[in-house]
Amino acid sequence: GGSTVTAAVFHLSRQEVMKWNGWGYSDSRFFFNKKGQAELTGKRYRGAVGLLWPARGLHCCRGCRLLQVALCAGAVPPPSLGEAFVAGLQAAALPFSVETEDRAFRSHGHCLHEIFALRRGKVGRVPDLVVWPGCHDDVVKIIKLACQHNVCLIPYGGGTSVSNALECPVEEPRAIVSVDTSQMNRILWVDEKNLTVHVEAGIIGQDLERHLGEQGYCTGHEPDSMEFSSLGGWVATRASGMKKNVYGNIEDLVVHVRMVTPRGVIEKSCLGPRVSIGPDVHHFVLGSEGTLGVITEVTLKIRPIPAYRKYGSVVFPDFERGVACLREVARQRCAPASIRLMDNKQFHFGQALKPQVSSIFTSFLDGLKKFYITKVKGFDPQCLCVATLLFEGDRERVLWHEKQVYDIAAKFGGLAAGEDNGQRGYMLTFVIAYLRDLGMDYYVIGESFETSVPWDRVLDLCRNVKEQVVRECRERGVQFSPLCTCRVTQTYDAGACVYFYFAFNYRGLADPIHVYEQVEQTARAEILANGGSLSHHHGVGKLRKQWMREAVSDAGLGMLRSVKEYVDPDNIFGNRNLL
């Protein structure tokens, strides 16, 4: 057992802290300064202040900035609710809201088409009401009321979905209620003997790690969205963190889950580390994407905070040798906490997006490094690529581990490129999402998508998907060369996760979102044709469910449908994800 810790209360009105129509905090955004460089406002991302990003990269014309449209109450239809359901919430003393801003904020995730529409003041179907349960028992009451009054529920965690999972189905005839779990944010106990923590599922990732850190522990689960995504969301989407090599993905961390469904509470009776009692019910909860119920509490493995942390980077002559190095590191099972390989275009993008040089000496050192790599070692600047590394553990073991990885890299022509490149690479993870909003100010739209793939298909998949994107853009009338870049972000014994970034300038296109969606669809088809998965960690939602039959087979899809029909016979959780 252990003490109970309460996390910082997330505002009921999240829009006071976060953008309603863009990524992240309201006080953090990129803008172009007078020198034509992108600067990030606010003080939250200190390492990112004064980032240099030349506007010419995607043909951004700084003279033609698009203005965002404020949320107009008239654009949001009034709520349509049964009086009996509302009376039930009041009788149970459950906080709720029918305010326009509260409802609109929870009507979407962060897919490109959702944000693009919101920035133009276009709001689709929104929840009719938002309710804030404060604990597991509150969720039980809400679901009971929904079943009694035939109301559709959509669970809402951190709102960071990029699979269209939070979009309210336009064809849904019933009232839709958003179940916002943000007030279920307590650490209920920490068990220091078994190294586990029991947490309410609404807690936000950064809060969980901060409060555990105060007691000397961490989960080590750090998805790129950890500032805003919730524990329940991680479980519901089968999330992956950048340090999974040491700590595991979410399915490796979960010891116990409680989920409330219309049929009752799903949970195991035992906290044992492993059981053999038929198919694992946890695996019906993991990846369920809000279709079966609301995840209320989760028990996770924890570890003592590592004593030592060290960043690093390696530059390779080309992407092929970089991938071969990552394959060998995985084969020898000696991967550091994180190892990520970016292709040449992403390397150049990252170099452009770097803090302003603080001194002539620093500039001189950077110049010497570049001279050594390109002139002395003969690396072609248009082919080289960089891996960023993060090592964690006790100091002696980290230094030994570091030597082991650099020795392997050297066999593939890799050169150590310093800690700064590594550290900057990980800092950019958290600010890069803000760049999409800046792009949209200047006729540039972009998105990321990911997959997992066997090692022997990594190079073919990366090359073919990028070629497909460029070809499709040209055929669909995109006037300027698109940016299409990839990185290998996770390594496994039998394969890797590949993450693509894709953006283009849409000036001259009548319907840029339709063009983007067509390009992404062909890219996804190309991924599947090259042996890639439908998703490694983003999930399926409504965006990718057209490929579910191909991904899991007819019989597999039928099995998932049977679970849904038994657990939720009246389709109370009618977000229409997955199936």
Side-chain angles (χ1 to χ4, degrees), residues 110-250:
H110 283 273
C111 289
L112 173 64
H113 71 271
E114 293 174 304
I115 301 302
F116 191 86
L118 290 172
R119 287 165 63 95
R120 281 151 184 75
K122 295 177 181 176
V123 183
R125 176 85 186 265
V126 305
D128 296 288
L129 178 146
V130 180
V131 62
W132 288 273
C135 62
H136 171 87
D137 289 345
D138 284 355
V139 173
V140 172
K141 293 172 188 173
I142 291 165
I143 293 177
K144 190 174 181 180
L145 283 168
C147 291
Q148 286 172 356
H149 303 289
N150 196 25
V151 167
C152 175
L153 300 179
I154 296 182
Y156 186 94
T160 57
S161 163
V162 287
S163 65
N164 211 17
L166 292 169
E167 187 175 80
C168 297
V170 177
E171 64 273 25
E172 176 57 67
R174 301 170 294 181
I176 295 177
V177 170
S178 175
V179 183
D180 184 325
T181 60
S182 60
Q183 305 311 295
M184 296 165 52
N185 56 25
R186 292 172 299 165
I187 294 176
L188 298 174
W189 47 254
V190 175
D191 183 339
E192 297 190 69
K193 289 182 179 176
N194 293 308
L195 287 180
T196 54
V197 62
H198 191 63
V199 196
E200 290 180 318
I203 196 167
I204 299 301
Q206 63 171 326
D207 292 338
L208 174 59
E209 291 301 89
R210 185 174 67 252
H211 287 293
L212 281 175
E214 290 166 2
Q215 299 185 56
Y217 298 103
C218 66
T219 67
H221 187 71
E222 295 185 9
D224 291 0
S225 62
M226 72 171 292
E227 296 173 285
F228 310 111
S229 56
S230 70
L231 170 56
W234 297 347
V235 174
T237 57
R238 291 180 61 88
S240 178
M242 65 174 85
K243 298 193 296 187
K244 74 94 196 159
N245 294 334
V246 170
Y247 302 98
N249 289 317
I250 194 66

Side-chain angles (χ1 to χ4, degrees), residues 493-554:
D493 288 352
C497 169
V498 179
Y499 210 98
F500 292 90
Y501 288 105
F502 158 48
F504 62 83
N505 188 304
Y506 66 83
R507 274 178 291 171
L509 295 177
D511 189 349
I513 294 300
H514 178 69
V515 170
Y516 169 77
E517 288 174 343
Q518 293 298 305
V519 174
E520 193 196 11
Q521 288 224 345
T522 59
R524 180 60 58 185
E526 188 68 24
I527 285 171
L528 296 174
N530 280 269
S533 68
L534 192 51
S535 174
H536 171 263
H537 60 270
H538 281 170
V540 176
K542 291 180 268 295
L543 198 63
R544 289 176 272 276
K545 68 177 181 179
Q546 72 190 76
W547 289 289
M548 272 295 281
R549 190 179 304 278
E550 182 181 344
V552 301
S553 77
D554 276 332

Side-chain angles (χ1 to χ4, degrees), residues 357-369 420:
V357 172
S358 55
S359 70
I360 293 170
F361 181 67
T362 309
S363 180
F364 177 67
L365 281 180
D366 278 350
L368 276 181
K369 279 185 209 164
D420 288 349

